[in-house]
C-alpha cells in the first residue's frame, strides 16, 4: 500500500489509463508534518527528500530522516520563542532550504504559515503584516528585504524576528540557534492538537480593488496536491523533481512540497537569484532531473539555447503553468526534445483545476480538461451554463479549496457562491471556452490584471501609487505584449499644471516607483499625455491604450518586413 492510499482512492480507466475519479478520506487529525514527513522519516529514513543547490553551486542533501529531525528541532526552537498554535508566521526565505524546515515545523506546531516574496517594499510589508496579524517573521538576510522589514516594523506589531543567513542586532539567529534543540517533537494534544480543517497556510492574492487579499487554506489542502504531483507532474516516488518557483508564491507548495513528498519523491531546489538558461540547463544535466515544471517564460529562454550542448535526456516529463502557453513554444520544445509540455491551470484559492493529465494527448493552446477533483462549469455573463464554443467564467466546486479571504467577508461571498445544485462554487474570475472534446481554452481575466514573467501585477494598485505623486494628475497602467515576459508594464501619465514632461520627470517617477513597488512591477516606460481616453461613463479607457500599443507594434513589424524585402 502506498502512503497516499491512506488518504485518496483513485478510479482509473482500464483502457486509457486515465484518472476518471478521486475520493478523499482524510482523517480529522491529519497533519502533513507528522503524517507525511515523519512517516517517510521512520519508514524510508535514508531516502533523499531534498537536494538543494546554492547560487554558487554548493550542495546539501537531506534525507527524510534528516527532515524529520530538523523540522522537529525547528519546531522546538520556534516554540521556545513563543510561537504557538494559531500564530501567524510570515516566511520570506527565497529558495533557502530553511524554508522546508520552517514550513513543516510550523505545520507541526499548528501555527499558520504565510509565505511571501523578498521583492516586497516597506509599504507592501506594512499592509501584509497588519492584514494578516503577523506575530513572527522568518526572513532571509540576502538582499534588501531585512531593511524593508525593519522600516515596516515601526508601523506593525511583529513580536518575534528570526533571521536566516547572517546575524543582525535585534534578530534571533536561526542557523546559530535551532540546532541546539531536541530532535523529538510530539503531536499536540488538547488545545495544542491540530485538525484537518484548522487554518494552516495563507497566501496573498488580489481583490477586485487591486489590493491583495489573503487566501486561507487548511491542513487538508496538502492532500489536494496529490493529483498535482502524481497525475500532472507524473511523479512516481523514484525521481528527482524540479519546479522553478520562489517559495514566496503558491506555486512552490504545488511543486516543491506537498504532492511530491506525499509520493515520497526527491524535491530538487536551485537557489538562484537571476535566471540564466545556460546555467539552468547545466544544473539539470548534472543532477539528472527526471520531471520538470516551469512557466512558459522559462521554456522560451531554454529553446533559444543550443540544447545539443547539454545532456538533458534524464527529463522524462515536463509540465507548464503560470501563463498561457504559446503553441509555438510547445512545438519547438517538442521538436528539440521529443517531450510534450503538459499545461495546467489553477489559482491560489484552489489546487490544480484544469490540466493535461497523465495519458492525455494535449491540445497546444488549451489549459487541458477539468480535474476529476472538481466539478467545473463555465457560466455566461447572464448566468447560463455556457455551450461548447461559448465564453464563460470558469467556476468550480470540490474539496481542498480555500476556506475564505481572511478579513474580507464580502470578497469571500462574491467568490464562493452556492449554485442551484446546492454546491459552493469558486468563481475564478477567468473566462474560458470549452471545445467539443472537453478541453478548455483561456480567453481573458474578468478582473483586470497584468502577468509579467509569471508575476501578477494589478494596474489599479500601480495607478494609486502614481496618482499619489505630487506631479501626477492621473495615470493608467497597462500590459504590453512581450516575447519573453508575456507582458511588460507601461504607464501613461497626465501631469498637473506647473510640472514639465520629459526625461527628468520620467526619471523622477521611476525612482519614486522603485521605492513603493516590487521590482517585478516596475514599468519599462512612462509616456506623458495631455489627457487620457475616456469611456462614456468617464472612466479611463485602458483598452484604447492597449490597442494603440498593439497598433504600434503591428506597424513596426510591417515596416521591418518592408525593409527586409
Amino acid at each position: 500500500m502506498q502512503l497516499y492510499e491512506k488518504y485518496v482512492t483513485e478510479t482509473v480507466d482500464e483502457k486509457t489509463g486515465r484518472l476518471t475519479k478521486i475520493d478523499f478520506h482524510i482523517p480529522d487529525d491529519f497533519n502533513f508534518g507528522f503524517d507525511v514527513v515523519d512517516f517517510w522519516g521512520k519508514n524510508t529514513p535514508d531516502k533523499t527528500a531534498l537536494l538543494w543547490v546554492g547560487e554558487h553551486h554548493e550542495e546539501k542533501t537531506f534525507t527524510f530522516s534528516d527532515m524529520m529531525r530538523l523540522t522537529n528541532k525547528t519546531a522546538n526552537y520556534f516554540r521556545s520563542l513563543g510561537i504557538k498554535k494559531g500564530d501567524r508566521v510570515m516566511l520570506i526565505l527565497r529558495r533557502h532550504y530553511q524554508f522546508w524546515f520552517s514550513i513543516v515545523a510550523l505545520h507541526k506546531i499548528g501555527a499558520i504559515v504565510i509565505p511571501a516574496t523578498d521583492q516586497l517594499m516597506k509599504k507592501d510589508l506594512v499592509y501584509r503584516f497588519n492584514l494578516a496579524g503577523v506575530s513572527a517573521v522568518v526572513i532571509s538576510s540576502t538582499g534588501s528585504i531585512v531593511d524593508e522589514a525593519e522600516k515596516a516594523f515601526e508601523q506593525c506589531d511583529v513580536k518575534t524576528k528570526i533571521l536566516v543567513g547572517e546575524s543582525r542586532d535585534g534578530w534571533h539567529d536561526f542557523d546559530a540557534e535551532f540546532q541546539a534543540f531536541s530532535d523529538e517533537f510530539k503531536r499536540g494534544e488538547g488545545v495544542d492538537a491540530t485538525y484537518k480543517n484548522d487554518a494552516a497556510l495563507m497566501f496573498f492574492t488580489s481583490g477586485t480593488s487591486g489590493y491583495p487579499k489573503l487566501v486561507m487554506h487548511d491542513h487538508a489542502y496538502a492532500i489536494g496536491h496529490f493529483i498535482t504531483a502524481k497525475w500532472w507532474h507524473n511523479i512516481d516516488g523514484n525521481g528527482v523533481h524540479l519546479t522553478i518557483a520562489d517559495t514566496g508564491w503558491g506555486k512552490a507548495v504545488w511543486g516543491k512540497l506537498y504532492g511530491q513528498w506525499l509520493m515520497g519523491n526527491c524535491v530538487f531546489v536551485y537557489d538562484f537569484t537571476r535566471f540564466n538558461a545556460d546555467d539552468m540547463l547545466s544544473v539539470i544535466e548534472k543532477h539528472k532531473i527526471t520531471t520538470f515544471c516551469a512557466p512558459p517564460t522559462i521554456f522560451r529562454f531554454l529553446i533559444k539555447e543550443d540544447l545539443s550542448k547539454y545532456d538533458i535526456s534524464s527529463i522524462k516529463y515536463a509540465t507548464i503553468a503560470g501563463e498561457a502557453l504559446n503553441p509555438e513554444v510547445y512545438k519547438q520544445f517538442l521538436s528539440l526534445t521529443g517531450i510534450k509540455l503538459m499545461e495546467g491551470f489553477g489559482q491560489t484559492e484552489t489546487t490544480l483545476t484544469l490540466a493535461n493529465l497523465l495519458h492525455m494527448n494535449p491540445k497546444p493552446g488549451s489549459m487541458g480538461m477539468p480535474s476529476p477533483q472538481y466539478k467545473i462549469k463555465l457560466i455566461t455573463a447572464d448566468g447560463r451554463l455556457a455551450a461548447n464554443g461559448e465564453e464563460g467564467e470558469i467556476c468550480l466546486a470540490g474539496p481542498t479549496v480555500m476556506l475564505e479571504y481572511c478579513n474580507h467577508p464580502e470578497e469571500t461571498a462574491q467568490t464562493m457562491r452556492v449554485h442551484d445544485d446546492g454546491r459552493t462554487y469558486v468563481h475564478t474570475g477567468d473566462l474560458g471556452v470549452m471545445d467539443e472534446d472537453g478541453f478548455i481554452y483561456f480567453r481573458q481575466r474578468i478582473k483586470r490584471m497584468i502577468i509579467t514573467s509569471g508575476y501578477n501585477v494589478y494596474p489599479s494598485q500601480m495607478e494609486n501609487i502614481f496618482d499619489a505623486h505630487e506631479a501626477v494628475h492621473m495615470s493608467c497602467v497597462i500590459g504590453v505584449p512581450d516575447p519573453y515576459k508575456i507582458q511588460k508594464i507601461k504607464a501613461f501619465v497626465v501631469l498637473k499644471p506647473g510640472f514639465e514632461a520629459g526625461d527628468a520627470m520620467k526619471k523622477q517617477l521611476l525612482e519614486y516607483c522603485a521605492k513603493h513597488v516590487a521590482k517585478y512591477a516596475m514599468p519599462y516606460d512612462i509616456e506623458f499625455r495631455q489627457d487620457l481616453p475616456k469611456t462614456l461613463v468617464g472612466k479611463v479607457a485602458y483598452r484604447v491604450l492597449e490597442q494603440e500599443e498593439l497598433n504600434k507594434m503591428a506597424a513596426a513589424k510591417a515596416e521591418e518586413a518592408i525593409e527586409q524585402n
Side-chain angles (χ1 to χ4, degrees):
M1 180 178 179
Q2 297 291 328
L3 172 61
Y4 69 80
E5 292 178 306
K6 293 172 64 176
Y7 309 112
V8 299
T9 300
E10 308 157 283
T11 301
V12 178
D13 186 290
E14 293 183 0
K15 292 183 179 179
T16 65
R18 292 186 189 177
L19 180 69
T20 59
K21 184 183 178 186
I22 185 167
D23 294 299
F24 290 84
H25 33 88
I26 305 171
D28 287 341
D29 64 348
F30 173 79
N31 183 296
F32 182 80
F34 295 112
D35 295 316
V36 175
V37 177
D38 288 6
F39 171 89
W40 293 119
K42 294 171 183 176
N43 290 279
T44 57
D46 298 326
K47 192 174 185 181
T48 300
L50 186 72
L51 176 54
W52 179 89
V53 175
E55 189 164 19
H56 303 295
H57 291 240
E58 63 274 31
E59 298 178 15
K60 286 185 178 292
T61 301
F62 301 96
T63 64
F64 279 107
S65 176
D66 292 331
M67 293 309 301
M68 178 175 66
R69 292 185 303 98
L70 292 167
T71 59
N72 284 344
K73 282 177 173 283
T74 304
N76 282 311
Y77 172 53
F78 285 165
R79 182 172 279 178
S80 78
L81 297 177
I83 296 173
K84 60 186 183 304
K85 180 183 175 181
D87 284 354
R88 299 177 179 195
V89 183
M90 183 170 284
L91 304 181
I92 308 180
L93 291 174
R94 297 162 59 91
R95 296 174 176 87
H96 302 341
Y97 56 82
Q98 292 90 340
F99 171 82
W100 283 263
F101 298 176
S102 298
I103 189 171
V104 175
L106 292 168
H107 284 341
K108 288 181 174 181
I109 291 171
I112 301 170
V113 185
I114 309 169
T117 173
D118 71 334
Q119 297 191 47
L120 300 173
M121 308 296 288
K122 171 192 170 184
K123 181 179 179 181
D124 304 315
L125 291 167
V126 169
Y127 176 81
R128 285 162 172 77
F129 288 160
N130 288 332
L131 178 65
V134 172
S135 61
V137 294
V138 188
I139 296 182
S140 166
S141 64
T142 304
S144 61
I145 187 63
V146 181
D147 295 328
E148 296 299 322
E150 288 192 332
K151 296 174 193 173
F153 291 154
E154 297 172 6
Q155 299 173 239
C156 308
D157 187 26
V158 177
K159 296 180 177 64
T160 307
K161 302 156 191 174
I162 306 166
L163 198 62
V164 168
E166 299 176 359
S167 60
R168 187 173 179 129
D169 288 344
W171 292 74
H172 292 282
D173 187 333
F174 180 95
D175 296 322
E177 297 172 4
F178 92 102
Q179 285 280 15
F181 288 81
S182 169
D183 62 4
E184 294 185 1
F185 189 85
K186 293 182 179 180
R187 189 187 291 263
E189 298 177 349
V191 295
D192 293 324
T194 63
Y195 299 95
K196 68 178 181 182
N197 297 132
D198 288 345
L201 179 71
M202 296 198 290
F203 278 106
F204 278 95
T205 182
S206 176
T208 53
S209 66
Y211 286 95
K213 296 173 296 186
L214 192 52
V215 174
M216 181 182 288
H217 286 291
D218 59 19
H219 285 275
Y221 170 77
I223 298 297
H225 282 297
F226 164 70
I227 287 183
T228 309
K230 183 181 178 184
W231 289 96
W232 184 42
H233 289 155
N234 193 18
I235 284 172
D236 61 7
N238 298 307
V240 180
H241 178 74
L242 168 60
T243 285
I244 296 182
D246 184 279
T247 61
W249 304 100
K251 190 65 168 65
V253 298
W254 282 48
K256 302 162 92 83
L257 180 61
Y258 292 138
Q260 295 69 35
W261 280 0
L262 180 63
M263 295 296 297
N265 209 79
C266 173
V267 169
F268 181 86
V269 178
Y270 182 27
D271 195 0
F272 63 89
T273 296
R274 186 178 295 276
F275 177 79
N276 177 281
D278 170 68
D279 187 40
M280 182 59 69
L281 287 164
S282 298
V283 167
I284 290 172
E285 176 180 4
K286 178 180 177 180
H287 295 283
K288 300 189 183 310
I289 303 303
T290 57
T291 51
F292 179 52
C293 184
T297 299
I298 298 297
F299 285 98
R300 284 189 187 86
F301 282 113
L302 296 182
I303 61 178
K304 286 184 174 293
E305 297 293 314
D306 179 3
L307 295 184
S308 66
K309 291 169 32 181
Y310 312 90
D311 180 6
I312 58 172
S313 59
S314 62
I315 298 179
K316 305 302 181 187
Y317 211 78
T319 46
I320 193 164
E323 310 154 6
L325 171 61
N326 186 314
E328 189 57 34
V329 173
Y330 174 92
K331 292 174 186 175
Q332 287 191 42
F333 193 77
L334 177 61
S335 174
L336 291 168
T337 66
I339 297 173
K340 297 177 180 179
L341 294 177
M342 306 297 274
E343 188 170 0
F345 165 85
Q347 293 189 322
T348 308
E349 293 88 341
T350 70
T351 60
L352 185 70
T353 55
L354 304 172
N356 293 281
L357 297 179
L358 197 58
H359 304 304
M360 286 176 56
N361 190 27
K363 290 187 178 183
S366 166
M367 298 182 289
M369 300 177 74
S371 163
Q373 191 163 323
Y374 296 109
K375 166 74 173 176
I376 292 180
K377 302 177 182 178
L378 270 60
I379 305 296
T380 63
D382 59 1
R384 294 181 295 102
L385 190 65
N388 289 344
E390 185 177 18
E391 192 175 86
E393 181 183 10
I394 301 168
C395 302
L396 60 101
T400 65
V401 298
M402 72 172 187
L403 300 175
E404 64 177 11
Y405 291 124
C406 183
N407 296 328
H408 280 92
E410 292 182 1
E411 293 277 12
T412 301
Q414 187 177 33
T415 300
M416 304 183 77
R417 307 180 207 168
V418 178
H419 286 203
D420 292 342
D421 60 6
R423 294 185 178 210
T424 299
Y425 283 78
V426 175
H427 284 243
T428 66
D430 289 322
L431 296 175
V433 172
M434 182 182 289
D435 69 14
E436 64 280 2
D437 296 320
F439 284 82
I440 295 178
Y441 298 77
F442 177 79
R443 284 294 177 259
Q444 67 179 26
R445 295 175 185 270
I446 297 175
K447 303 171 186 177
R448 191 175 154 213
M449 184 189 294
I450 298 168
I451 298 180
T452 179
S453 298
Y455 296 116
N456 293 344
V457 175
Y458 304 97
S460 60
Q461 191 172 358
M462 294 288 294
E463 290 158 4
N464 288 340
I465 291 169
F466 271 109
D467 294 350
H469 191 279
E470 62 177 1
V472 175
H473 170 57
M474 64 187 307
S475 64
C476 182
V477 173
I478 66 168
V480 178
D482 181 87
Y484 301 108
K485 295 183 175 183
I486 301 300
Q487 291 177 294
K488 53 186 178 181
I489 297 162
K490 181 170 182 177
F492 294 85
V493 171
V494 178
L495 297 175
K496 293 176 181 176
F499 291 91
E500 184 176 348
D503 290 341
M505 178 56 70
K506 184 181 293 187
K507 182 173 182 291
Q508 181 182 335
L509 289 175
L510 287 171
E511 288 175 349
Y512 165 77
C513 275
K515 296 177 181 178
H516 295 281
V517 304
K519 295 173 185 176
Y520 60 80
M522 282 293 293
Y524 84 98
D525 190 24
I526 297 174
E527 182 175 326
F528 296 105
R529 294 282 185 100
Q530 293 298 315
D531 199 3
L532 296 176
K534 305 288 197 310
T535 65
L536 292 175
V537 295
K539 295 183 179 180
V540 175
Y542 68 90
R543 293 193 184 279
V544 173
L545 296 172
E546 289 174 345
Q547 190 58 52
E548 287 179 11
E549 292 300 309
L550 292 174
N551 293 343
K552 287 180 190 176
M553 293 174 67
K557 191 172 182 179
E559 185 175 340
E560 182 181 350
I562 292 171
E563 290 176 356
Q564 290 177 349
N565 292 332

